[in-house]
Each structure stands twice: as C-alpha cells, then as structure tokens.
Amino acid sequence: WWRDQVISEKTINFSSVDKLPESASAEKAYFKSNGFKSWVEVPIIYQGSVIGVLGFSSAVEERLWREDEITLFRVVGQIFASALQRKNTVKALLESERNYREIFNATNDSIFILDIEDGNILDLNQSAIDLFGLHNKDELFDLVYNNTAFASEFKIENLNLQIKKMQKSGPQIFEWLTKK
C-alpha cells in the first residue's frame, strides 16, 4: 500500500494510525508496534521521478498535519534532492576530469592546448613538460611567454600566425624548433 502511494506521488497524511486503510495492515502493525500516533510522508520528486520520501511522525499525539507544514516538507525535500543531484553531478565531473587527465598524460606525444582566440596555452601534458626538460607547467609557461623556449626564428608571434591559419583553414602541420 505504502509503495503504491509513493509511486503515485501522493502525500500520505494520517491523524491516527487506526485510520489507515485495511490494505495497509502491514504498515498499521509496524507503526503501532513502534508507538507512532500520527504520520505524514511527502514524496521527493526530481525531474518528474520520485527519488525518495520525507516522513515525519508523532509519538506524542494524534494530529492531522497542516497543509503549510506539508508544503514546508516538500520544499525541504526539494532542497535535499537538489543537493544530492549537485553532489552526483560534481562527482561525475571529477571522474570525467580524472579520466581525461589519465588519457591526456598517458601518451608519449607532447600535447599543447591553446586558446584559439589569443594563442595562450591553456594546458599541456607531461610529455610536453618532459620535452623541454622542465619540472612543471609553470616553468614552461614562463619560457614560452618570455620567448626563451624556442629557437630564434620560432617565436610566440609565429605560433600565433599558425593559429590564425588554423582558424581560417582548419588543422595545420608545421615544424617547430625548441631550444632543447
């Protein structure tokens, strides 16, 4: 009985356990044996699906839960649902980032990710750091932007020209000479 009520997204509100229908005999026995006098349960709905229930009971008095209380329970349930969904979304995003990093750093090819608008390096993998014989990304960023990472004719301005060609014509293949 209880499951059917929840699945149909109905709020369950009884001022007395004795007022439960005969089809709820198992629930009635459970509530009586645990000393419940009255009971309310509000389904928590997220994106059109019931993801749980928020329930309150009174062991002190028989009472009918007021509509403003039930509305408050719904709001609290929605807050919980949103927080849980946000937590799950952040978890999935972190897992995706971890997978990306593993693939990104597993290759022996040096990979530079550039901002197509301004040519700034957004990210690079460990192979790119190793190519220059450095310890971390920051060291390489400093060398690139100070124009000391590349041989004299291969300055950052020339790289920006190649980026502009990519913007107009798509992927480009070109040689680049570093000091190492």
Side-chain angles (χ1 to χ4, degrees):
W1 174 86
W2 176 84
R3 187 180 66 75
D4 292 340
Q5 301 301 304
V6 170
I7 289 172
S8 63
E9 301 178 10
K10 292 180 182 171
T11 296
I12 303 167
N13 185 7
F14 286 98
S15 61
S16 169
V17 174
D18 290 327
K19 293 184 180 179
L20 287 167
E22 288 303 317
S23 58
S25 59
E27 290 87 350
K28 187 184 287 189
Y30 173 80
F31 287 126
K32 279 190 172 197
S33 69
N34 285 290
F36 295 133
K37 303 285 185 197
S38 60
W39 160 51
V40 63
E41 283 194 12
V42 178
I44 299 172
I45 301 167
Y46 187 80
Q47 295 181 340
S49 298
V50 176
I51 63 167
V53 293
L54 186 59
F56 295 90
S57 63
S58 173
V60 178
E61 64 179 328
E62 291 184 357
R63 65 180 292 233
L64 191 62
W65 299 82
R66 296 186 325 261
E67 193 56 42
D68 63 326
E69 293 171 316
I70 292 171
T71 300
L72 180 62
F73 299 155
R74 279 193 189 101
V75 170
V76 169
Q78 292 306 313
I79 291 169
F80 287 149
S82 295
L84 285 171
Q85 288 305 117
R86 184 171 191 273
K87 179 182 174 187
N88 290 339
T89 300
V90 168
K91 183 179 176 182
L93 182 61
L94 291 173
E95 180 69 17
S96 176
E97 169 72 12
R98 186 187 62 76
N99 290 342
Y100 158 77
R101 286 277 159 212
E102 284 180 7
I103 294 167
F104 186 62
N105 285 316
T107 181
N108 290 327
D109 296 323
S110 296
I111 301 173
F112 292 80
I113 299 177
L114 306 174
D115 184 328
I116 198 78
E117 297 297 321
D118 59 18
N120 287 331
I121 299 172
L122 300 175
D123 202 2
L124 49 105
N125 68 354
Q126 188 60 46
S127 292
I129 294 168
D130 296 343
L131 174 73
F132 286 88
L134 303 173
H135 299 94
N136 59 50
K137 293 177 186 181
D138 294 332
E139 287 182 280
L140 184 54
F141 289 154
D142 290 342
L143 289 176
V144 169
Y145 294 116
N146 292 327
N147 267 330
T148 57
F150 308 121
S152 60
E153 66 274 17
F154 295 90
K155 297 297 181 198
I156 196 72
E157 294 81 17
N158 295 339
L159 181 57
N160 287 337
L161 291 174
Q162 293 295 335
I163 290 171
K164 286 181 178 158
K165 284 182 188 177
M166 283 188 272
Q167 284 175 306
K168 290 179 184 174
S169 308
Q172 300 289 311
I173 297 175
F174 55 92
E175 291 186 9
W176 204 257
L177 184 63
T178 65
K179 286 190 175 178
K180 181 172 184 263

